[in-house]
Amino acid sequence: MKITIERAALLRSLGHVQSVVERRNTIPILSNVLLKAENGELALTATDMDLEIVESVPADIARPGSATAPAHTLYDIARKLPDGSQVELDFTADTLTLRSGRSQFRLGALPVEDFPVMAGGDTGHRFSLSASDLKMLVDRTKFAISTEETRYYLNGIYLHASKAKTGAAEIPVLRAVATDGHRLARVEMALPDGAGGIPGVIIPRKTVIEVRKLLDEAADRIEVQLSDTKVRFAFDSIVLTSKLIDGTFPDYERVIPTGNDKVMEVNAGQFAAAVDRVATISTEKSRAVKLSLDRGILTLSASSPEAGSATEEIEVSYDNTALEIGFNSRYLLDITQQIEGEGVRFTLADAGSPTVVRDVADGSALYVLMPMRV
């Protein structure tokens, strides 16, 4: 294999694929990127056995062929080469030689046939959605993904087709849900064409993070292919294929309270800033902040044996009986960061029951937050 490629194009593609490669690998070939040159294109592939990304980029091919190279090393070299330079990659025997200007690097290459390739197979369901819609589904739910390995079925975003009630009518929607047992995020959008019969799937956290990184540079339409075991995202010249989490996502509808009768509305920005200030005092472990509600006034307070105490009052729209309830300040801030409108609505019951949080101006997202003792 012998090719010449622009440094900027190589760096951009390596940046995309190398983040899939784990820094520590017990299987040496998984530290490598597979380079395949044919038909005027260089295809770069990286995998961790659960997730595979393939990106094609135009290149001047003198001799078609394939090679492997250490992904992070190759990326670091490309990153340090001068802007606008041309890069020549020449693979012979078991060595990949990289030349650019007066620089030359010789990298040890492992056999191409050792590189694992994810089985293609039929993905069954196909639909497309806009990059902005997929971004919205991911951004508003990913903060609630659990990191607890024992409850592996919560380590991702649950994507499924459902129906949303609007008045007497039911509208088909595509729904993304994530929860860690302390908070839950549920976001929905109009069901794309072709997504009606999709199975409910749990997309792993690492896949969610990698897809989200790529979306900032993506074209407008994202093709999604789904089966019971795999999901594939395709856009521009990138195809990302991932295994799904093999587990059953809990019936999340059961934890969304429907009988909460106390409603508080507050400016999202003011509320988040006040929570952040008061939480400076709360202990690192609990991060607890107490909300004391009375007509028109919310008092936020926190205290810790070491740091002292803090209180702050803000005006709110609330016209019900007095209520005191505690929350983890980090969780409160995570949720209020998702609110794009000015107002946020809290629907509460009592100090021991889950609270529902919504954006006053946008009904597509719903958040549930468990209280804590303070």
Side-chain angles (χ1 to χ4, degrees):
M1 182 190 92
K2 186 175 182 180
I3 65 157
T4 306
I5 185 170
E6 277 184 17
R7 177 251 184 194
L10 179 65
L11 180 64
R12 183 170 174 269
S13 295
L14 279 171
H16 294 160
V17 301
Q18 62 94 32
S19 65
V20 169
V21 177
E22 296 289 347
R23 286 278 171 191
R24 289 195 182 92
N25 264 312
T26 49
I27 306 168
I29 193 71
L30 295 182
S31 299
N32 283 29
V33 57
L34 176 66
L35 308 167
K36 195 172 188 181
E38 59 185 2
N39 306 327
E41 282 191 329
L42 174 68
L44 299 94
T45 306
T47 183
D48 66 358
M49 305 286 267
D50 293 323
L51 173 63
E52 178 189 81
I53 181 167
V54 184
E55 180 163 0
S56 301
V57 59
D60 184 6
I61 297 169
R63 191 171 67 240
S66 301
T68 68
H72 297 303
T73 308
L74 195 58
Y75 173 70
D76 284 342
I77 292 168
R79 191 168 52 84
K80 292 171 183 178
L81 290 173
D83 284 348
S85 56
Q86 294 287 315
V87 180
E88 182 187 279
L89 296 172
D90 187 356
F91 176 66
T92 47
D94 56 357
T95 305
L96 180 73
T97 306
L98 182 150
R99 299 183 191 91
S100 180
R102 293 183 173 185
S103 305
Q104 179 171 312
F105 300 87
R106 292 166 68 82
L107 304 175
L110 294 171
V112 169
E113 48 276 13
D114 288 356
F115 196 88
V117 177
M118 232 182 210
D122 182 31
T123 45
H125 302 272
R126 290 167 179 258
F127 61 93
S128 74
L129 71 171
S130 72
S132 58
D133 280 340
L134 186 55
K135 242 187 244 183
M136 183 266 296
L137 290 178
V138 168
D139 284 348
R140 294 191 181 178
T141 50
K142 75 172 193 286
F143 71 91
I145 295 174
S146 174
T147 53
E148 220 177 290
E149 296 301 326
T150 49
R151 300 165 81 187
Y152 65 93
Y153 49 85
L154 298 182
N155 294 162
I157 289 178
Y158 180 52
L159 193 71
H160 61 299
S162 186
K163 284 187 166 58
K165 285 188 175 71
T166 53
E170 284 193 338
I171 306 171
V173 290
L174 181 65
R175 211 172 249 179
V177 184
T179 181
D180 61 4
H182 305 288
R183 63 249 173 105
L184 177 143
R186 188 196 78 187
V187 184
E188 58 198 25
M189 60 171 278
L191 192 69
D193 293 340
I198 65 168
V201 298
I202 308 170
I203 301 171
R205 181 175 62 247
K206 182 174 176 181
T207 306
V208 168
I209 290 166
E210 292 303 326
V211 168
R212 180 62 188 87
K213 280 182 199 164
L214 297 168
L215 284 176
D216 285 331
E217 299 175 27
D220 188 47
R221 300 305 291 176
I222 312 291
E223 294 285 327
V224 182
Q225 298 176 33
L226 267 180
S227 72
D228 291 331
T229 56
K230 285 199 182 82
V231 62
R232 181 171 293 145
F233 298 91
F235 46 92
D236 305 339
S237 55
I238 300 171
V239 179
L240 187 145
T241 309
S242 168
K243 290 179 184 172
L244 296 166
I245 291 176
D246 181 14
T248 306
F249 200 80
D251 179 8
Y252 63 89
E253 294 285 2
R254 285 204 353 255
V255 301
I256 300 174
T258 52
N260 290 10
D261 58 346
K262 298 176 175 67
V263 179
M264 172 188 87
E265 288 188 8
V266 59
N267 178 288
Q270 286 178 5
F271 177 75
V275 167
D276 198 19
R277 281 191 290 271
V278 170
T280 313
I281 292 296
S282 65
T283 59
E284 190 63 33
K285 190 163 177 271
S286 73
R287 298 200 177 110
V289 167
K290 183 159 77 174
L291 280 64
S292 305
L293 269 166
D294 217 332
R295 291 179 196 275
I297 290 286
L298 167 66
T299 307
L300 296 155
S301 59
S303 63
S304 78
E306 302 87 40
S309 63
T311 59
E312 182 164 342
E313 278 188 3
I314 50 174
E315 286 183 14
V316 296
S317 168
Y318 181 77
D319 192 15
N320 213 307
T321 52
L323 172 69
E324 285 193 349
I325 188 167
F327 292 111
N328 180 315
S329 59
R330 182 70 257 148
Y331 296 168
L332 274 177
L333 291 170
D334 282 344
I335 288 174
T336 47
Q337 276 165 12
Q338 311 312 316
I339 307 293
E340 292 189 350
E342 283 200 351
V344 56
R345 179 184 294 127
F346 288 78
T347 315
L348 311 105
D350 54 55
S353 303
T355 293
V356 177
V357 187
R358 300 192 88 137
D359 188 333
V360 174
D362 178 11
S364 66
L366 173 145
Y367 307 97
V368 179
L369 188 53
M370 293 298 291
M372 62 190 295
R373 279 207 196 97
V374 285

